[in-house]
Amino acid sequence: MPELPEVEGVVRELSPVSIGRTISEVHVSDVIKKSKELGKEAIVKGKTLEDFIDELADMTIVDVTRRSKYIYFHMEKKGQPYLLVSHLGMTGAWFVVNSLDDITERKFRNHIHVVLKMADGGLLVYSDIRRFGELRLLQKEEDYLPLLKMAPEPFDEVAADHFLAMASTPKYARKPIKEVIMDGHVISGCGNIYATEALFRMNIHPGRATERISEKRKRELFRQIVEVLQESIDAGGSSISDYRNINGQAGTMQTRLKMYGKKVCGVCGRETKSMKIAGRTSVYCPQCQR
Ligand SMILES: [Zn+2]
């Protein structure tokens, strides 16, 4: 699943090749059409397909930014601003190509769901193998409340204090620390990979109750989370399973991970253990993490 660093990588690559371009036509897959007919909402959320297609046509992409794990395409049409919000789910990927044949990896080529044809002839293509991704066309962020409830960006100055304040509320204090740091209301964009790494660096057991960690250690943990996220952004993200940047390339952060997906602890040599926390597999070292 793409996490914050991977989404940041996508945004950095999408920006220079999509800003300033205008959409002329929008095509969606038969799978999306069928899902709408069944009253479901595969990928395209909150709008009928007709509206989604009609409204997007003639929009110009004026900026591409990231907010937590969302990609924000800032759009404009007839002087009006719009926001196309993209979440990559488990396996979403964007490709900027001249022809669909330029998408060479078969699994992505076979799961193309939205094609934005540009006025200049190029294509902005959304592929999603497992279809957990989301595309939501809004006028502004406020039109979709969950976007407003996200924690501040982890790199923002206020983010550490927000985390500490939330972590001490009755709702979170007794929960396992890993569940708390992965909650998007508490910290933005810290998913399983980076939560696992930061806890290992701090020698904190992922199941430890949040209230049993001192304020000082929690602040240090937050610093480690920010550090591991930044390291991963610098390395182009982790290439776990089906994450690709827009050129279908993979990042290199996975070679630096010390605990996520490991069978043996690189520090003490003990076999790692795993437990389920909030439905997610959590790997840890029973010797190093207490
Ligand atoms: Zn160990």
Side-chain angles (χ1 to χ4, degrees), residues 200 203 259 264-272 284-289:
F200 178 61
N203 299 323
M259 182 50 60
V264 174
C265 172
V267 170
C268 73
R270 284 266 307 253
E271 255 180 58
T272 60
Y284 65 97
C285 173
Q287 177 81 17
C288 297
Q289 290 175 267

Side-chain angles (χ1 to χ4, degrees), residues 61-288:
I61 301 169
V62 294
D63 202 4
V64 185
T65 60
R66 180 188 58 71
R67 174 71 176 99
S68 188
K69 293 197 273 183
Y70 290 91
I71 300 165
Y72 281 8
F73 292 91
H74 303 265
M75 317 289 277
E76 199 180 279
K77 183 173 172 174
K78 294 177 185 156
Q80 278 281 97
Y82 294 87
L83 190 63
L84 178 63
V85 178
S86 161
H87 192 287
L88 301 173
M90 304 283 286
T91 53
W94 284 98
F95 295 86
V96 179
V97 290
N98 290 318
S99 143
L100 292 184
D101 293 333
D102 295 342
I103 301 172
T104 49
E105 221 176 329
R106 182 180 287 267
K107 61 185 174 184
F108 291 105
R109 178 78 176 78
N110 287 347
H111 296 276
I112 290 170
H113 289 294
V114 177
V115 177
L116 306 177
K117 189 163 187 241
M118 298 295 158
D120 57 25
L123 305 173
L124 184 52
V125 180
Y126 181 72
S127 165
D128 196 337
I129 299 161
R130 295 186 61 187
R131 302 197 299 272
F132 287 117
E134 291 184 17
L135 278 172
R136 210 175 276 276
L137 182 58
L138 311 171
Q139 286 189 296
K140 52 190 187 311
E141 208 180 23
E142 290 76 7
D143 295 343
Y144 184 58
L145 287 179
L147 298 177
L148 302 182
K149 294 187 175 154
M150 291 187 287
E153 282 296 303
F155 308 106
D156 279 3
E157 240 172 81
V158 296
D161 288 339
H162 176 86
F163 159 61
L164 291 172
M166 292 289 270
S168 64
T169 59
K171 182 176 177 193
Y172 293 109
R174 297 211 167 112
K175 284 187 176 168
I177 184 64
K178 181 153 177 286
E179 178 174 351
V180 172
I181 62 176
M182 285 179 61
D183 187 312
H185 301 102
V186 180
I187 298 177
S188 259
C190 179
N192 202 4
I193 299 174
Y194 304 110
T196 299
E197 292 302 306
L199 288 168
F200 178 61
R201 289 179 182 195
M202 287 293 298
N203 299 323
I204 296 173
H205 191 290
R208 176 176 273 259
T210 301
E211 65 187 355
R212 289 193 50 240
I213 302 168
S214 72
E215 178 107 351
K216 190 165 167 258
R217 296 257 292 157
K218 281 199 285 257
R219 198 172 277 281
E220 177 63 14
L221 171 63
F222 186 82
R223 215 181 55 76
Q224 290 292 347
I225 290 169
V226 170
E227 208 168 279
V228 74
L229 289 172
Q230 188 59 55
E231 267 180 53
S232 183
I233 289 173
D234 295 343
S238 303
S239 301
I240 306 288
S241 71
D242 292 321
Y243 161 68
R244 296 290 183 282
N245 67 23
I246 66 161
N247 296 318
Q249 288 164 348
T252 59
M253 183 65 184
Q254 70 281 5
T255 62
R256 305 186 195 194
L257 301 177
K258 297 274 191 283
M259 182 50 60
Y260 182 85
K262 300 292 178 201
K263 295 265 183 285
V264 174
C265 172
V267 170
C268 73
R270 284 266 307 253
E271 255 180 58
T272 60
K273 285 192 165 180
S274 82
M275 63 191 287
K276 284 263 186 210
I277 296 175
R280 306 295 300 276
T281 301
S282 302
V283 181
Y284 65 97
C285 173
Q287 177 81 17
C288 297

Side-chain angles (χ1 to χ4, degrees), residues 21-90:
R21 299 174 84 184
T22 299
I23 298 165
S24 61
E25 281 172 41
V26 179
H27 298 278
V28 301
S29 67
D30 290 340
V31 172
I32 291 186
K33 288 178 191 160
K34 210 160 279 170
S35 124
K36 281 280 182 192
E37 280 165 21
L38 292 170
K40 293 181 189 162
E41 289 212 300
I43 300 172
V44 177
K45 308 285 184 189
K47 255 188 206 310
T48 66
L49 286 182
E50 292 72 23
D51 286 350
F52 181 76
I53 291 167
D54 285 352
E55 289 173 24
L56 262 182
D58 299 323
M59 279 192 191
T60 300
I61 301 169
V62 294
D63 202 4
V64 185
T65 60
R66 180 188 58 71
R67 174 71 176 99
S68 188
K69 293 197 273 183
Y70 290 91
I71 300 165
Y72 281 8
F73 292 91
H74 303 265
M75 317 289 277
E76 199 180 279
K77 183 173 172 174
K78 294 177 185 156
Q80 278 281 97
Y82 294 87
L83 190 63
L84 178 63
V85 178
S86 161
H87 192 287
L88 301 173
M90 304 283 286

